C-alpha cells in the first residue's frame, strides 16, 4: 500500500522496491536505512531482507515487491507521487524488466505526477535514452490498459526525474548526466546539503558541448537547466552542519537559471544552534525571511 507522507514537496510515496546501498557522502546518515531497521523489528514484510553491513543494513537489502507495482492503477484521485522514498529506482539490483513494469504503470496512469529521484545517474541516463527501453515501457503500459494510440510521447510527460546533489563534486557529475537524460521536468534534491553548491551563476548545463565542469556559457540552442531545486540540510542526531548561505546562494542561482527553488528545511544542526521549534529546522517561520521560498516548476 502506498503511504501518505510528511515530505513537503510531494503528496504520497510509492515503493515498488525497497532497500539500497550507500554510494556517496550524502548517504552517510541515510534516514531510510535507519527507518528500515525499525520497520524490520516491527515485522514489516517489505523490510526483512538484510543488506551488506558495509553499505546497507538490517531490513535495507534491495528487494522488489511485485504486489506494490500496480498500486497506482487503483488510485482514482490524481496526486504527486514520490517514487521509492525507501530505495533508488535505478539501483543495480533492480532488473530492467522490473523497470519496464514500473515505468509502464506510470505511463498507464497519466493523471498522476511521479517524482523519481536517484543517485544512480549513469544507469538512469543510459536506460532512458535507449529506444528499446521506451518500446518496452509502451508495451507494458498497453498491457495495463493504456490504448496504443493514447497520445504516446517519450519522455513521459507525467514523470519528473531528479538527482541528489550533496556537494559541488556530485553537482558537477550528476547534473550534467541529468541534462543528458530525457525528462519532462528535471529537478535537483540538494538535501542533505553538506557543502556549498553553485550552479555557475548565469551559465547552464549543455549536454552537447564539452566545457569545463559541463557548463556552456553564452547563446546556445542546446542549453538544458534544472526546472526545480529542492534545498535542505541534514536531519537526525548526527546531522552535519548546514550554512543558510548555501541555501541563499542556490536560491539566487535558481532565479538566474529560471528554476523554481524550494527550501525544504535547514537541518537538525541548524535547528539546535538556533533553538528552532522543529528539530529538523523545517518550519519557515523560524528561518531568515529571504529563505522562506517554496516554489514548484512549471509543468508541461
Amino acid at each position: 500500500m502506498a503511504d501518505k507522507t510528511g515530505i513537503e514537496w510531494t503528496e504520497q510515496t510509492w515503493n515498488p522496491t525497497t532497500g539500497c546501498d550507500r554510494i556517496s557522502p550524502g548517504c552517510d546518515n541515510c534516514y531510510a536505512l535507519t527507518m528500515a531497521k525499525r520497520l524490520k523489528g516491527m515485522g514489516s514484510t517489505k523490510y526483512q531482507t538484510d543488506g551488506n553491513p558495509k553499505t546497507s543494513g538490517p531490513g535495507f537489502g534491495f528487494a522488489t515487491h511485485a504486489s506494490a507495482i500496480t498500486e497506482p492503477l487503483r488510485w482514482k484521485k490524481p496526486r504527486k507521487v514520490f517514487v521509492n522514498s525507501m530505495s533508488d529506482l535505478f539501483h543495480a539490483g533492480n532488473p530492467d524488466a522490473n523497470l519496464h513494469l514500473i515505468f509502464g504503470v506510470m505511463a498507464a496512469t497519466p493523471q498522476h505526477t511521479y517524482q523519481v529521484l536517484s543517485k544512480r545517474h549513469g544507469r538512469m541516463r543510459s536506460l532512458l535514452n535507449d529506444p528499446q527501453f521506451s518500446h518496452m515501457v509502451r508495451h507494458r503500459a498497453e498491457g495495463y490498459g493504456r490504448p496504443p494510440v493514447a497520445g504516446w510521447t517519450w519522455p513521459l510527460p507525467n514523470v519528473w526525474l531528479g538527482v541528489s546533489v550533496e556537494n559541488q563534486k556530485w553537482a558537477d557529475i550528476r547534473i550534467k548526466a541529468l541534462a543528458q537524460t530525457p525528462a519532462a521536468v528535471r529537478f535537483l534534491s540538494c538535501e542533505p546539503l553538506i557543502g556549498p553548491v553553485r550552479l555557475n551563476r548565469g551559465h547552464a548545463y549543455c549536454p552537447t558541448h564539452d566545457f569545463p565542469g559541463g557548463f556552456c556559457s553564452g547563446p546556445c540552442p542546446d542549453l538544458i537547466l534544472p526546472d526545480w531545486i529542492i534545498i535542505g540540510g541534514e536531519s537526525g542526531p548526527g546531522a552535519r552542519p548546514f550554512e543558510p548561505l548555501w541555501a541563499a546562494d542556490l536560491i539566487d542561482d535558481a532565479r538566474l537559471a529560471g528554476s523554481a527553488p524550494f527550501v525544504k528545511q535547514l537541518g537538525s544542526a541548524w535547528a539546535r544552534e538556533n533553538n528552532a521549534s522543529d528539530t529538523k529546522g523545517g518550519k519557515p517561520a523560524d528561518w531568515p525571511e529571504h529563505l522562506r521560498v517554496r516554489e514548484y516548476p512549471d509543468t508541461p
Side-chain angles (χ1 to χ4, degrees), residues 23-58:
I23 60 169
S24 69
C27 304
D28 289 352
N29 294 323
C30 178
Y31 77 90
L33 189 153
T34 301
M35 187 179 296
K37 181 179 180 180
R38 184 166 67 249
L39 290 169
K40 177 183 179 177
M42 294 168 61
S44 175
T45 56
K46 270 190 171 183
Y47 300 94
Q48 298 305 312
T49 301
D50 292 341
N52 183 333
K54 294 182 179 179
T55 58
S56 183

Side-chain angles (χ1 to χ4, degrees), residues 41 55 96-97 105 188 226 252 272 297:
T55 58
D96 287 3
V105 168
L188 312 180
D252 288 347
R272 287 192 296 270

Side-chain angles (χ1 to χ4, degrees), residues 110-177:
Q111 71 272 29
H112 305 312
T113 297
Y114 295 94
Q115 299 158 313
V116 178
L117 178 63
S118 181
K119 287 185 175 72
R120 273 77 175 177
H121 55 277
R123 189 179 184 208
M124 181 173 72
R125 174 179 55 194
S126 176
L127 285 177
L128 272 66
N129 276 294
D130 183 354
Q132 180 62 21
F133 184 83
S134 59
H135 170 77
M136 290 303 300
V137 169
R138 181 172 184 171
H139 174 69
R140 294 301 184 187
E142 291 170 3
Y144 289 130
R146 181 178 176 126
V149 292
W152 175 264
T153 59
W154 187 263
L156 298 174
N158 63 325
V159 177
W160 301 3
L161 296 178
V163 292
S164 297
V165 170
E166 64 260 45
N167 56 28
Q168 192 67 54
K169 172 187 173 180
W170 287 105
D172 293 342
I173 294 170
R174 291 185 181 135
I175 300 175
K176 186 175 183 180

